[in-house]
Amino acid sequence: MVLRQYELVDRVLSYDPEADEALLNRAYVFSLQAHGSQKRASGDPYFSHPIEVAGILTDLHLDDETIATAILHDTIEDTVATPEEILSRFGPNVARLVDGVTKLSKIEAQSENERAAENLRKFLLAMSDDIRVLLVKLADRLHNMRTLHHIPKAEKRRRIARETMDIYAPLAERIGMYEFMKEMQTLAFRELEPDAHESIVRRLEALNVAGEDRIAKIGSGLKLLLSRGGIDAEISGREKHPYSIWKKMSERHVSFEQLSDIMAFRATVATEEDCYRALGIIHRRWPMVPGRFKDYISTPKRNGYRSLHTSIIHAGDTRVEIQIRTRAMHAQAEYGLAAHWAYKQDKVRPDTQVRWIQDLVEILDNADSAEELLEHTRMAMYQDRIFAFTPKGELIQLPKGATPIDFAYAVHTDLGDQSVGAKINGRVVPLRTEIQQGDQVAILRSKAQHPQENWLNFAVTGKARAAIRRHLRHKERDETVALGRKLFDDIVAHLPVAIGEEAVDAALVRLKLDDQDALMDAIAGQRLDDAQVMEALMPGSTTGDDALPLPTRREPISIKGLTPGVAFTLADCCHPIPGDRIVGVRRPGAPIAVHQISCEQLHEVEDDDWLDIGWGAKAEGGTARLAVTLKNEPGALGAVATLLGQHKANILNIRFDTSDTTFHTNEIDLEVRDVAHLMRLINALRAADAVSGAERA
């Protein structure tokens, strides 16, 4: 029976009288209408699932925003509802939480091996900046496991059960939610090992009949013993769940009959001191099993779990496990971090509590509002890491601030070396784009590409930077020698007669260089000027009245990311100038075309033709095109020309595009220094009386 609207609201109000009742009602009605006639595999209305998930979370006494998120968590993925609707109807906090759960739901778990499963668990933690996203996702999975038997295909049931056992149950354990973990494991075990599950359940039932309710008798005796010792304790006993028993049988290689500790009791007391007093009373009454005592109060588990564990021999032949803890410790043990939404944690020694748990506990205990809580509740375990996916779904872990270059080298060195661009979530982006949590990244590659020096400006991983530097070292000398040889050929062309290898060898001796590569390297690096080289090749050629003219050197390369000497042009379609973000386009038999990154023509460019480039340090000067709308009055164009001249901009061309009786628009091509110079021109034009509007075309 699905929880009715008023029943769900009453549950929340019972533990949080100040909850936003209107928010819960709106969420209930919206989800009911959005899911409409959708059905689950059981034949029940689909709407029953999110309501049951919300019901599970009310047992944890979670806040109204989390309950609303649970009600809405499938609307974006499974209905026509949009994130914008959720934002406008339910506010930014609920919208962000629903978006977080939706992202987690889109993950295709790859739990075929332990490494992939652990990576996915890390990803889930990292994606869940707000712990409430994780809690909703775990409750969602728990309800799906409760209804797993309705799915007709056995293969699908086993896949979901295996995913739950490998991913979600360990994740629940990781944040201390043992009740969730145990139920998930039991339900998954029933599906994965049905024969073993049935056998253990049947033997437990037979044991109970034969033992005439041993758990009740042992529990009563334990309570009476502690009461006589002056300790008021709540005692609960249970048989260990089937999966736990099966796991012990497998690990110890024993049969069911050989297991002696299938019963466990919990004593919940008022204070930490009572825990240790109770332990002493129990050990004085019954012998302790050696090696079975654990003190998780003085040394908590990694996820903050605190309790005393011991095993005793009861009635001479029965081994019984006993856990002793305070009520606050019990809340933590059952529901982990979720417990702190409803319970106050006892003071914890800062040197024993795991740091990220400790920080969250302090924040949860001291937060005055949901907004303050939202600002701080971050999963600090992986706050400096991001997780991205390859197109095939492989998970790649990177540091925050990583770019597609880092991603490419993380996949394979060759892929990194040949990167020319990337697609993030299907959209083409430059290599310098920062990857965000959960992005899917596809690297665009070209065999003609090689690592560029400017990649070091945005590569952040050690692997990527080392690979780039290694390649640059190997390539740098070859490129330098090639450039030096071009310059050397220019120098030789100015000599009056052709020279042979003997003249070059003699020049090497005069210049004290080892070989021709060293000579070319020195020329390209400007450690030798033209006069020195000519004099070494032909002594006396640069002195006296008959001195030969020196060759004219080329202008410095102004584009970073291109091999020195490679021809390029600035595209006429977008007129890039220094200061613009640019990209190179390579076409066979043509110079590299340099475009603005926002140029519309780039949509027609094939993936493999992209080059990641930038302006050189000395890059200055270019042609920009302005669209200037003038008032249709005498002297307007002259005023504009004068203004441009005052700002040191040279007019190259003017074209009249449209005109009417009031205004006329001109496209003006200008020589400017850079983007900053252009923006000053535009601002000056907009301030002029004769100008109605000015913008870059």
Side-chain angles (χ1 to χ4, degrees), residues 451-603:
Q452 306 295 311
E453 185 175 4
N454 70 319
W455 290 0
L456 293 171
N457 295 332
F458 48 83
V460 299
T461 62
K463 180 177 181 180
R465 296 180 69 83
I468 294 166
R469 287 194 180 105
R470 181 174 61 250
H471 192 97
L472 291 176
R473 282 197 301 270
H474 292 164
K475 286 286 187 178
E476 185 177 9
R477 185 169 176 81
D478 291 341
E479 293 175 351
T480 302
V481 167
L483 178 59
R485 186 163 293 281
K486 291 181 181 179
L487 299 174
F488 176 79
D489 291 342
D490 288 343
I491 294 171
V492 170
H494 283 74
L495 295 174
V497 294
I499 60 172
E501 288 297 318
E502 296 82 0
V504 177
D505 292 340
L508 294 176
V509 174
R510 296 185 184 103
L511 295 171
K512 298 180 180 179
L513 296 173
D514 294 334
D515 52 32
Q516 290 192 21
D517 283 352
L519 172 61
M520 307 311 163
D521 182 66
I523 294 172
Q526 298 184 357
R527 295 189 298 277
L528 291 175
D529 60 28
D530 298 347
Q532 289 173 300
V533 177
M534 293 178 72
E535 188 65 24
L537 291 170
M538 186 176 291
S541 59
T542 61
T543 59
D545 296 336
D546 297 329
L548 297 172
L550 296 176
T552 301
R553 285 292 181 95
R554 297 178 178 180
E555 292 297 317
I557 298 295
S558 60
I559 300 291
K560 293 190 299 183
L562 297 180
T563 303
V566 170
F568 65 88
T569 61
L570 302 179
D572 291 332
C573 51
C574 56
H575 294 283
I577 58 176
D580 286 328
R581 291 182 62 195
I582 55 175
V583 66
V585 174
R586 189 202 317 269
R587 285 196 169 92
I592 302 298
V594 178
H595 292 259
Q596 288 190 55
I597 196 67
S598 58
C599 179
E600 294 182 358
Q601 297 295 323
L602 293 177
H603 294 301

Side-chain angles (χ1 to χ4, degrees), residues 199-210:
S199 174
I200 291 172
V201 170
R202 189 170 59 249
R203 293 183 184 188
L204 286 174
E205 290 173 349
L207 203 59
N208 285 334
V209 172

